Amino acid sequence: MSEMLGNQYFMARKFAASVPEFEEVFNRAPDNKMIRKKLIICYTQIGQIQRAFQLFHSLIKEDIDIIAKTDVIADDCPCPELVEKLSEAQVSDSNLEKELKLGILWLYCDSNNSLEHFLKAQSSDPNDELLTSTIRIISSYQSNNIRSQVTN
């Protein structure tokens, strides 16, 4: 029941209401990548940026394709509209938090834009190991994609 209800809230863009439902499923099945994928988006929308970033990093370290190969239409991914809203809004987040949010959300749509925002975030905090690792993972993903396109 929790996953279905969480998905209903998610589709209605009621991210705060989705969180407890998705967390319940996540606690029972921490390997559920689709729940983690949605929970990351929810966390970015309710101001839990560090929590979103930690979950995001662990998921892309395990399987970057689950996020990077999101079908925005088929998956009803809210990221394009969330990125647009965040880019236009005068947000109260710190520059680092805004760049982390944009980096996370952009990976659902475009790895180049995602990497660009993580690099901007790194300029605010060059010693952040999680950020450095995230940049390395996305850069490696892009290099592998370029190589596979050249060989095909």
Side-chain angles (χ1 to χ4, degrees):
M1 182 67 168
S2 294
E3 186 170 359
M4 284 177 46
L5 185 55
N7 283 326
Q8 288 297 317
Y9 287 137
F10 189 85
M11 288 188 305
R13 307 304 189 237
K14 295 180 179 180
F15 301 110
S18 295
V19 170
E21 305 304 324
F22 287 152
E23 283 179 338
E24 185 178 321
V25 175
F26 175 68
N27 289 333
R28 285 194 321 262
D31 291 339
N32 185 326
K33 293 177 186 176
M34 296 308 289
I35 289 297
R36 289 188 281 165
K37 180 179 176 175
K38 290 178 181 177
L39 202 47
I40 290 164
I41 294 170
C42 293
Y43 285 151
T44 67
Q45 299 308 294
I46 64 170
Q48 294 187 17
I49 309 310
Q50 284 304 316
R51 199 167 182 187
F53 186 47
Q54 289 170 351
L55 189 57
F56 173 83
H57 179 267
S58 70
L59 186 54
I60 66 168
K61 188 175 177 183
E62 179 185 336
D63 180 7
I64 192 170
D65 285 339
I66 195 75
I67 292 179
K69 294 194 175 179
T70 297
D71 182 327
V72 174
I73 295 168
D75 294 342
D76 188 31
C77 181
C79 292
E81 63 203 56
L82 297 176
V83 163
E84 185 177 332
K85 232 187 278 184
L86 184 59
S87 297
E88 293 173 353
Q90 297 295 328
V91 292
S92 60
D93 295 340
S94 72
N95 195 42
L96 175 61
E97 286 182 337
K98 180 178 179 181
E99 295 303 336
L100 286 175
K101 258 193 216 181
L102 286 167
I104 290 167
L105 295 171
W106 265 116
L107 190 59
Y108 289 77
C109 310
D110 181 323
S111 65
N112 290 324
N113 281 323
S114 175
L115 184 58
E116 181 181 316
H117 286 285
F118 282 122
L119 289 169
K120 286 180 186 175
Q122 189 179 41
S123 69
S124 297
D125 193 357
N127 298 319
D128 186 315
E129 292 179 24
L130 206 57
L131 197 45
T132 301
S133 176
T134 298
I135 290 167
R136 194 174 311 116
I137 292 166
I138 296 171
S139 295
S140 175
Y141 170 77
Q142 289 180 325
S143 294
N144 290 339
N145 277 349
I146 289 170
R147 265 187 252 128
S148 69
Q149 290 173 358
V150 169
T151 59
N152 288 338

